[in-house]
Amino acid sequence: MNIDQILDRIYILPEASKNSLKEHITEISYPKGFCLMEADKIIPYVYFIRKGIARAYATTSENDITFWFGSEGQTVISMKSYVEDKPGYESIELLEDCDLYRIETEELRKLFHEDIHIANWGRKLAETEMIKSEELIISRQFKTSLERYKDLLTYQSELLKRVQLGYIASYLGITQVSLSRIRAEIR
């Protein structure tokens, strides 16, 4: 996806505002396995995935728990850093070679003060991210692992072709053995 498509998915900006925002966005590439964000660090950027896939995870004393996948067109953000300038909870690992768009959070904040349209775009970005978090919490609390897997098939089926099953199992909150059983049951 190109940057215009990504920005428009969040909120349609007047052309002058969009161009002003794009002046502060750079394109970068990182290899598979690169740690884009580390937990317990302030992340001074907001990223958008042009090409590739990433996962967010938290580390416990026993293992890593994957709680989010992002692919083309999605935002990669530490909301704690974005909103409060505080260290985030999550680490973000690239699961494929990735082409990303990046903007410095501080530059974005300056644009919010200069342009009401960009400020509204930023509000919509935060609202969208909040809804994603809310949906994840509700899914984990109220759906069975089978229902979560079916949702994955319905809404993010490309992940099953692009992501290791161990990460998928972690995302679903189950073991790989349980994931194998669920997959066999659905076939």
PDB file of all heavy atoms in Angstrom, residues 143-153 172 174 178 181-183 185-186:
ATOM      1  N   LYS A 143     -14.409 -15.255  24.097  1.00  0.00           N
ATOM      2  CA  LYS A 143     -14.479 -16.236  23.019  1.00  0.00           C
ATOM      3  C   LYS A 143     -13.586 -17.425  23.323  1.00  0.00           C
ATOM      4  O   LYS A 143     -12.533 -17.285  23.948  1.00  0.00           O
ATOM      5  CB  LYS A 143     -14.058 -15.601  21.685  1.00  0.00           C
ATOM      6  CG  LYS A 143     -15.046 -14.570  21.183  1.00  0.00           C
ATOM      7  CD  LYS A 143     -14.677 -14.082  19.810  1.00  0.00           C
ATOM      8  CE  LYS A 143     -15.732 -13.098  19.296  1.00  0.00           C
ATOM      9  NZ  LYS A 143     -15.447 -12.670  17.935  1.00  0.00           N
ATOM     10  N   THR A 144     -14.014 -18.576  22.840  1.00  0.00           N
ATOM     11  CA  THR A 144     -13.196 -19.783  22.993  1.00  0.00           C
ATOM     12  C   THR A 144     -12.048 -19.730  21.989  1.00  0.00           C
ATOM     13  O   THR A 144     -12.069 -18.932  21.034  1.00  0.00           O
ATOM     14  CB  THR A 144     -14.022 -21.045  22.714  1.00  0.00           C
ATOM     15  OG1 THR A 144     -14.400 -21.050  21.323  1.00  0.00           O
ATOM     16  CG2 THR A 144     -15.274 -21.118  23.591  1.00  0.00           C
ATOM     17  N   SER A 145     -11.072 -20.585  22.176  1.00  0.00           N
ATOM     18  CA  SER A 145      -9.954 -20.634  21.238  1.00  0.00           C
ATOM     19  C   SER A 145     -10.439 -21.020  19.841  1.00  0.00           C
ATOM     20  O   SER A 145      -9.927 -20.511  18.839  1.00  0.00           O
ATOM     21  CB  SER A 145      -8.862 -21.578  21.735  1.00  0.00           C
ATOM     22  OG  SER A 145      -9.390 -22.847  22.036  1.00  0.00           O
ATOM     23  N   LEU A 146     -11.432 -21.873  19.746  1.00  0.00           N
ATOM     24  CA  LEU A 146     -11.998 -22.247  18.441  1.00  0.00           C
ATOM     25  C   LEU A 146     -12.627 -21.020  17.777  1.00  0.00           C
ATOM     26  O   LEU A 146     -12.412 -20.772  16.586  1.00  0.00           O
ATOM     27  CB  LEU A 146     -13.029 -23.363  18.597  1.00  0.00           C
ATOM     28  CG  LEU A 146     -13.768 -23.780  17.328  1.00  0.00           C
ATOM     29  CD1 LEU A 146     -12.795 -24.298  16.267  1.00  0.00           C
ATOM     30  CD2 LEU A 146     -14.812 -24.842  17.644  1.00  0.00           C
ATOM     31  N   GLU A 147     -13.391 -20.238  18.527  1.00  0.00           N
ATOM     32  CA  GLU A 147     -14.004 -19.030  17.971  1.00  0.00           C
ATOM     33  C   GLU A 147     -12.948 -18.019  17.535  1.00  0.00           C
ATOM     34  O   GLU A 147     -13.078 -17.388  16.488  1.00  0.00           O
ATOM     35  CB  GLU A 147     -14.936 -18.388  19.006  1.00  0.00           C
ATOM     36  CG  GLU A 147     -16.203 -19.184  19.272  1.00  0.00           C
ATOM     37  CD  GLU A 147     -16.981 -18.668  20.474  1.00  0.00           C
ATOM     38  OE1 GLU A 147     -16.369 -18.195  21.461  1.00  0.00           O
ATOM     39  OE2 GLU A 147     -18.228 -18.734  20.422  1.00  0.00           O
ATOM     40  N   ARG A 148     -11.885 -17.873  18.326  1.00  0.00           N
ATOM     41  CA  ARG A 148     -10.807 -16.945  17.965  1.00  0.00           C
ATOM     42  C   ARG A 148     -10.102 -17.411  16.690  1.00  0.00           C
ATOM     43  O   ARG A 148      -9.762 -16.602  15.832  1.00  0.00           O
ATOM     44  CB  ARG A 148      -9.811 -16.791  19.119  1.00  0.00           C
ATOM     45  CG  ARG A 148     -10.396 -16.026  20.296  1.00  0.00           C
ATOM     46  CD  ARG A 148      -9.345 -15.598  21.309  1.00  0.00           C
ATOM     47  NE  ARG A 148      -8.515 -16.671  21.812  1.00  0.00           N
ATOM     48  CZ  ARG A 148      -8.796 -17.434  22.866  1.00  0.00           C
ATOM     49  NH1 ARG A 148      -9.914 -17.240  23.544  1.00  0.00           N
ATOM     50  NH2 ARG A 148      -7.966 -18.368  23.259  1.00  0.00           N
ATOM     51  N   TYR A 149      -9.919 -18.718  16.544  1.00  0.00           N
ATOM     52  CA  TYR A 149      -9.292 -19.257  15.333  1.00  0.00           C
ATOM     53  C   TYR A 149     -10.188 -19.012  14.113  1.00  0.00           C
ATOM     54  O   TYR A 149      -9.719 -18.610  13.048  1.00  0.00           O
ATOM     55  CB  TYR A 149      -8.988 -20.746  15.483  1.00  0.00           C
ATOM     56  CG  TYR A 149      -8.304 -21.323  14.263  1.00  0.00           C
ATOM     57  CD1 TYR A 149      -6.955 -21.060  14.013  1.00  0.00           C
ATOM     58  CD2 TYR A 149      -8.999 -22.108  13.356  1.00  0.00           C
ATOM     59  CE1 TYR A 149      -6.327 -21.568  12.894  1.00  0.00           C
ATOM     60  CE2 TYR A 149      -8.368 -22.620  12.238  1.00  0.00           C
ATOM     61  CZ  TYR A 149      -7.037 -22.346  12.012  1.00  0.00           C
ATOM     62  OH  TYR A 149      -6.418 -22.852  10.890  1.00  0.00           O
ATOM     63  N   LYS A 150     -11.494 -19.222  14.274  1.00  0.00           N
ATOM     64  CA  LYS A 150     -12.430 -18.971  13.171  1.00  0.00           C
ATOM     65  C   LYS A 150     -12.427 -17.496  12.780  1.00  0.00           C
ATOM     66  O   LYS A 150     -12.502 -17.170  11.595  1.00  0.00           O
ATOM     67  CB  LYS A 150     -13.841 -19.437  13.536  1.00  0.00           C
ATOM     68  CG  LYS A 150     -13.986 -20.949  13.515  1.00  0.00           C
ATOM     69  CD  LYS A 150     -15.401 -21.371  13.874  1.00  0.00           C
ATOM     70  CE  LYS A 150     -15.557 -22.873  13.799  1.00  0.00           C
ATOM     71  NZ  LYS A 150     -16.922 -23.302  14.161  1.00  0.00           N
ATOM     72  N   ASP A 151     -12.330 -16.606  13.775  1.00  0.00           N
ATOM     73  CA  ASP A 151     -12.213 -15.171  13.477  1.00  0.00           C
ATOM     74  C   ASP A 151     -10.942 -14.895  12.675  1.00  0.00           C
ATOM     75  O   ASP A 151     -10.950 -14.099  11.738  1.00  0.00           O
ATOM     76  CB  ASP A 151     -12.185 -14.338  14.767  1.00  0.00           C
ATOM     77  CG  ASP A 151     -13.546 -14.196  15.418  1.00  0.00           C
ATOM     78  OD1 ASP A 151     -14.569 -14.550  14.785  1.00  0.00           O
ATOM     79  OD2 ASP A 151     -13.582 -13.729  16.586  1.00  0.00           O
ATOM     80  N   LEU A 152      -9.866 -15.548  13.049  1.00  0.00           N
ATOM     81  CA  LEU A 152      -8.604 -15.394  12.332  1.00  0.00           C
ATOM     82  C   LEU A 152      -8.766 -15.844  10.882  1.00  0.00           C
ATOM     83  O   LEU A 152      -8.313 -15.163   9.956  1.00  0.00           O
ATOM     84  CB  LEU A 152      -7.513 -16.209  13.035  1.00  0.00           C
ATOM     85  CG  LEU A 152      -6.091 -16.004  12.596  1.00  0.00           C
ATOM     86  CD1 LEU A 152      -5.605 -14.617  12.965  1.00  0.00           C
ATOM     87  CD2 LEU A 152      -5.196 -17.051  13.233  1.00  0.00           C
ATOM     88  N   LEU A 153      -9.438 -16.964  10.670  1.00  0.00           N
ATOM     89  CA  LEU A 153      -9.695 -17.454   9.307  1.00  0.00           C
ATOM     90  C   LEU A 153     -10.542 -16.465   8.508  1.00  0.00           C
ATOM     91  O   LEU A 153     -10.309 -16.249   7.320  1.00  0.00           O
ATOM     92  CB  LEU A 153     -10.422 -18.804   9.343  1.00  0.00           C
ATOM     93  CG  LEU A 153      -9.604 -20.028   9.704  1.00  0.00           C
ATOM     94  CD1 LEU A 153     -10.516 -21.247   9.858  1.00  0.00           C
ATOM     95  CD2 LEU A 153      -8.543 -20.297   8.656  1.00  0.00           C
ATOM     96  N   LEU A 172      -3.489 -16.925  19.869  1.00  0.00           N
ATOM     97  CA  LEU A 172      -4.793 -17.472  20.240  1.00  0.00           C
ATOM     98  C   LEU A 172      -4.863 -17.864  21.715  1.00  0.00           C
ATOM     99  O   LEU A 172      -5.928 -18.187  22.227  1.00  0.00           O
ATOM    100  CB  LEU A 172      -5.123 -18.687  19.370  1.00  0.00           C
ATOM    101  CG  LEU A 172      -5.303 -18.413  17.877  1.00  0.00           C
ATOM    102  CD1 LEU A 172      -5.421 -19.714  17.099  1.00  0.00           C
ATOM    103  CD2 LEU A 172      -6.497 -17.513  17.634  1.00  0.00           C
ATOM    104  N   ILE A 174      -3.196 -20.482  23.096  1.00  0.00           N
ATOM    105  CA  ILE A 174      -3.221 -21.942  23.208  1.00  0.00           C
ATOM    106  C   ILE A 174      -1.853 -22.512  22.838  1.00  0.00           C
ATOM    107  O   ILE A 174      -0.985 -21.796  22.353  1.00  0.00           O
ATOM    108  CB  ILE A 174      -4.316 -22.561  22.300  1.00  0.00           C
ATOM    109  CG1 ILE A 174      -4.079 -22.182  20.823  1.00  0.00           C
ATOM    110  CG2 ILE A 174      -5.702 -22.125  22.763  1.00  0.00           C
ATOM    111  CD1 ILE A 174      -5.064 -22.811  19.848  1.00  0.00           C
ATOM    112  N   SER A 178      -2.814 -27.843  20.732  1.00  0.00           N
ATOM    113  CA  SER A 178      -4.238 -27.466  20.692  1.00  0.00           C
ATOM    114  C   SER A 178      -4.602 -26.841  19.354  1.00  0.00           C
ATOM    115  O   SER A 178      -5.684 -27.099  18.807  1.00  0.00           O
ATOM    116  CB  SER A 178      -4.566 -26.492  21.825  1.00  0.00           C
ATOM    117  OG  SER A 178      -4.397 -27.098  23.065  1.00  0.00           O
ATOM    118  N   ARG A 181      -5.103 -29.536  16.833  1.00  0.00           N
ATOM    119  CA  ARG A 181      -6.409 -30.189  17.014  1.00  0.00           C
ATOM    120  C   ARG A 181      -7.532 -29.335  16.414  1.00  0.00           C
ATOM    121  O   ARG A 181      -8.431 -29.860  15.749  1.00  0.00           O
ATOM    122  CB  ARG A 181      -6.688 -30.428  18.507  1.00  0.00           C
ATOM    123  CG  ARG A 181      -5.895 -31.526  19.087  1.00  0.00           C
ATOM    124  CD  ARG A 181      -6.367 -31.840  20.526  1.00  0.00           C
ATOM    125  NE  ARG A 181      -5.378 -32.674  21.167  1.00  0.00           N
ATOM    126  CZ  ARG A 181      -4.754 -32.384  22.296  1.00  0.00           C
ATOM    127  NH1 ARG A 181      -5.018 -31.258  22.934  1.00  0.00           N
ATOM    128  NH2 ARG A 181      -3.878 -33.206  22.805  1.00  0.00           N
ATOM    129  N   ILE A 182      -7.493 -28.052  16.681  1.00  0.00           N
ATOM    130  CA  ILE A 182      -8.527 -27.153  16.146  1.00  0.00           C
ATOM    131  C   ILE A 182      -8.496 -27.157  14.614  1.00  0.00           C
ATOM    132  O   ILE A 182      -9.546 -27.244  13.972  1.00  0.00           O
ATOM    133  CB  ILE A 182      -8.333 -25.704  16.685  1.00  0.00           C
ATOM    134  CG1 ILE A 182      -8.730 -25.668  18.157  1.00  0.00           C
ATOM    135  CG2 ILE A 182      -9.147 -24.701  15.891  1.00  0.00           C
ATOM    136  CD1 ILE A 182      -8.384 -24.352  18.850  1.00  0.00           C
ATOM    137  N   ARG A 183      -7.314 -27.081  14.040  1.00  0.00           N
ATOM    138  CA  ARG A 183      -7.195 -27.083  12.584  1.00  0.00           C
ATOM    139  C   ARG A 183      -7.710 -28.386  11.982  1.00  0.00           C
ATOM    140  O   ARG A 183      -8.378 -28.383  10.950  1.00  0.00           O
ATOM    141  CB  ARG A 183      -5.741 -26.837  12.175  1.00  0.00           C
ATOM    142  CG  ARG A 183      -5.281 -25.439  12.547  1.00  0.00           C
ATOM    143  CD  ARG A 183      -3.858 -25.203  12.188  1.00  0.00           C
ATOM    144  NE  ARG A 183      -3.776 -25.069  10.738  1.00  0.00           N
ATOM    145  CZ  ARG A 183      -2.646 -25.129  10.043  1.00  0.00           C
ATOM    146  NH1 ARG A 183      -1.504 -25.313  10.648  1.00  0.00           N
ATOM    147  NH2 ARG A 183      -2.664 -24.973   8.743  1.00  0.00           N
ATOM    148  N   GLU A 185      -9.979 -30.308  13.323  1.00  0.00           N
ATOM    149  CA  GLU A 185     -11.427 -30.324  13.548  1.00  0.00           C
ATOM    150  C   GLU A 185     -12.157 -29.527  12.469  1.00  0.00           C
ATOM    151  O   GLU A 185     -13.247 -29.893  12.031  1.00  0.00           O
ATOM    152  CB  GLU A 185     -11.705 -29.721  14.925  1.00  0.00           C
ATOM    153  CG  GLU A 185     -13.148 -29.717  15.347  1.00  0.00           C
ATOM    154  CD  GLU A 185     -13.308 -29.108  16.725  1.00  0.00           C
ATOM    155  OE1 GLU A 185     -12.499 -29.405  17.625  1.00  0.00           O
ATOM    156  OE2 GLU A 185     -14.265 -28.323  16.893  1.00  0.00           O
ATOM    157  N   ILE A 186     -11.559 -28.432  12.015  1.00  0.00           N
ATOM    158  CA  ILE A 186     -12.212 -27.557  11.045  1.00  0.00           C
ATOM    159  C   ILE A 186     -12.111 -28.118   9.625  1.00  0.00           C
ATOM    160  O   ILE A 186     -13.000 -27.898   8.813  1.00  0.00           O
ATOM    161  CB  ILE A 186     -11.595 -26.130  11.117  1.00  0.00           C
ATOM    162  CG1 ILE A 186     -12.064 -25.485  12.421  1.00  0.00           C
ATOM    163  CG2 ILE A 186     -12.003 -25.280   9.936  1.00  0.00           C
ATOM    164  CD1 ILE A 186     -11.525 -24.120  12.671  1.00  0.00           C
TER     165      ILE A 186
END
